[in-house]
Amino acid sequence: MYTFHRSIRNEKFLVNCLSYFCWGVGILSLSLFTQYSMETFIYSASKHYYSTLSGDDVSPYDIAHYNSAAFICCLFLFDFLRKKSQIRFNIIGIIFFSVSIILSVSRSFAIAYLLSVLSWLIFSKGITVKIKRIFFGVACGFLILFFALKINSGVLEARWVGETLAQMNELNTRALTAGREYIWEVGYELFLQKPILGHGANQFSSQFLELEGIPKGAHNQFMKYVVEFGLLGLIIFIFMLLVLFINLLLNKNHKGVAMAAFTSLLCACSFHGFYREKGYWFIIGLMFSTNLMNNIYQNYFMTGSKRIK
């Protein structure tokens, strides 16, 4: 993050970083798409949601994570691209990454995706821009649903209608949260044992093993910090997120995409590990870089100097 914050000094270099990241994620995802048949990307309905890309190959959650980060990058590029050909490629990227997120059938990343789009629309600058982006979002939404259903309608129906709605109707929160509710209940018990300073760094899994007989990850960074570092560690972590939020909120030229990235990162903290989401940290680093660029331009115009320090 610090490297991006200090090194990206011009808009062209920033656009190249975003573009290379999107192309990299897109090519890797497309290679997986072509490696397996359309019916088994990413899940196979005939095998009852068994992922042909998980296990020894690649986790579908990694697919969802990196495609989510690339999707945010595409939103970021909207603020920079001017050529029609580049804008068209960017729209194709948005649709492709969105379809990949949906096909991963990850409920947590689907929630993060929807909330990030909502944040992008709410914090976009100007009423006219908001209206244009709403129409753009609706149009892309229809295309995204069309392609997702065309590729693998069976598993999407089984996952969202057959499984998710059934769990909601039965109020089966443990199944709905994929076992996270059970982990968080045990995590709360571990927190009560040492509420101030916690059990120590990287002790969640071992303490869970000692209490329950099986090792488990926290699947929630807030829970991980409060168990390992107590209330003190949790307060420091929340303070860090608050500083990050304020910094991104002050990003006047790119506030919409900045808040979209922060929303996705916050959802990732709530359902997954904090350090696993490398793609989001890449984007957050770029956000700091845009603030640095804004400060440089403001200092330039305020001082009237031709030299940019």
Side-chain angles (χ1 to χ4, degrees):
M1 186 188 303
Y2 179 78
T3 302
F4 285 119
H5 182 66
R6 301 306 304 173
S7 65
I8 298 181
R9 296 277 179 165
N10 61 76
E11 185 176 298
K12 184 177 180 180
F13 190 71
L14 182 63
V15 170
N16 287 340
C17 286
L18 291 165
S19 301
Y20 292 151
F21 182 81
C22 290
W23 275 105
V25 174
I27 290 172
L28 288 174
S29 299
L30 190 61
S31 67
L32 292 172
F33 181 86
T34 55
Q35 182 179 353
Y36 299 90
S37 64
M38 295 180 71
E39 290 75 18
T40 56
F41 180 80
I42 290 172
Y43 276 83
S44 173
S46 62
K47 296 182 180 179
H48 196 61
Y49 336 131
Y50 172 78
S51 172
T52 57
L53 302 185
S54 64
D56 295 333
D57 294 326
V58 59
S59 167
Y61 295 104
D62 288 329
I63 293 284
H65 157 229
Y66 281 106
N67 278 273
S68 297
F71 169 77
I72 299 294
C73 281
C74 286
L75 295 184
F76 204 179
L77 284 170
F78 252 99
D79 294 337
F80 293 102
L81 299 179
R82 298 294 180 265
K83 294 182 180 180
K84 290 185 178 180
S85 58
Q86 293 177 332
I87 294 174
R88 292 193 192 100
F89 270 113
N90 196 42
I91 293 173
I92 292 173
I94 286 176
I95 295 173
F96 175 81
F97 297 132
S98 300
V99 170
S100 297
I101 295 168
I102 293 174
L103 289 177
S104 73
V105 297
S106 169
R107 289 182 287 213
S108 58
F109 279 105
I111 292 171
Y113 168 74
L114 293 175
L115 291 178
S116 64
V117 172
L118 188 62
S119 298
W120 180 61
L121 294 174
I122 292 174
F123 289 97
S124 294
K125 189 177 181 180
I127 300 297
T128 305
V129 174
K130 282 185 174 68
I131 294 173
K132 287 182 179 179
R133 288 182 174 180
I134 288 173
F135 280 109
F136 170 77
V138 171
C140 284
F142 282 114
L143 287 174
I144 291 164
L145 286 175
F146 171 79
F147 285 118
L149 292 172
K150 193 73 173 177
I151 293 173
N152 206 339
S153 60
V155 73
L156 292 177
E157 182 181 355
R159 175 65 163 173
W160 298 107
V161 180
E163 183 180 289
T164 304
L165 287 181
Q167 292 170 354
M168 291 175 66
N169 291 332
E170 296 170 2
L171 299 177
N172 189 350
T173 55
R174 179 167 294 188
L176 194 61
T177 59
R180 288 178 175 86
E181 182 189 31
Y182 158 66
I183 295 174
W184 297 339
E185 288 174 354
V186 177
Y188 181 69
E189 294 179 17
L190 292 173
F191 158 69
L192 293 178
Q193 292 177 4
K194 295 184 178 181
I196 307 300
L197 296 177
H199 294 270
N202 298 321
Q203 291 297 308
F204 186 93
S205 181
S206 60
Q207 292 297 320
F208 198 101
L209 174 63
E210 185 176 330
L211 191 64
E212 294 293 306
I214 53 173
K216 288 285 185 179
H219 289 279
N220 183 298
Q221 201 61 33
F222 300 98
M223 179 62 70
K224 179 178 174 65
Y225 271 106
V226 80
V227 169
E228 295 184 354
F229 302 104
L231 287 174
L232 182 61
L234 180 65
I235 291 171
I236 294 173
F237 178 60
I238 292 175
F239 176 76
M240 184 185 72
L241 289 179
L242 185 61
V243 171
L244 180 62
F245 173 77
I246 293 173
N247 188 285
L248 296 179
L249 196 62
L250 295 175
N251 196 322
K252 296 180 180 179
N253 295 333
H254 310 287
K255 186 182 294 185
V257 69
M259 297 313 299
F262 181 80
T263 302
S264 292
L265 181 65
L266 199 61
C267 290
C269 291
S270 301
F271 296 103
H272 298 280
F274 193 56
Y275 301 109
R276 178 183 179 183
E277 318 306 333
K278 304 177 185 66
Y280 288 123
W281 283 114
F282 169 79
I283 298 169
I284 296 298
L286 295 180
M287 296 300 173
F288 277 104
S289 300
T290 60
N291 267 1
L292 177 63
M293 284 168 40
N294 291 338
N295 293 335
I296 290 173
Y297 294 150
Q298 287 175 5
N299 292 334
Y300 175 78
F301 287 113
M302 288 177 64
T303 59
S305 173
K306 292 183 179 180
R307 182 186 177 191
I308 299 178
K309 296 182 179 180

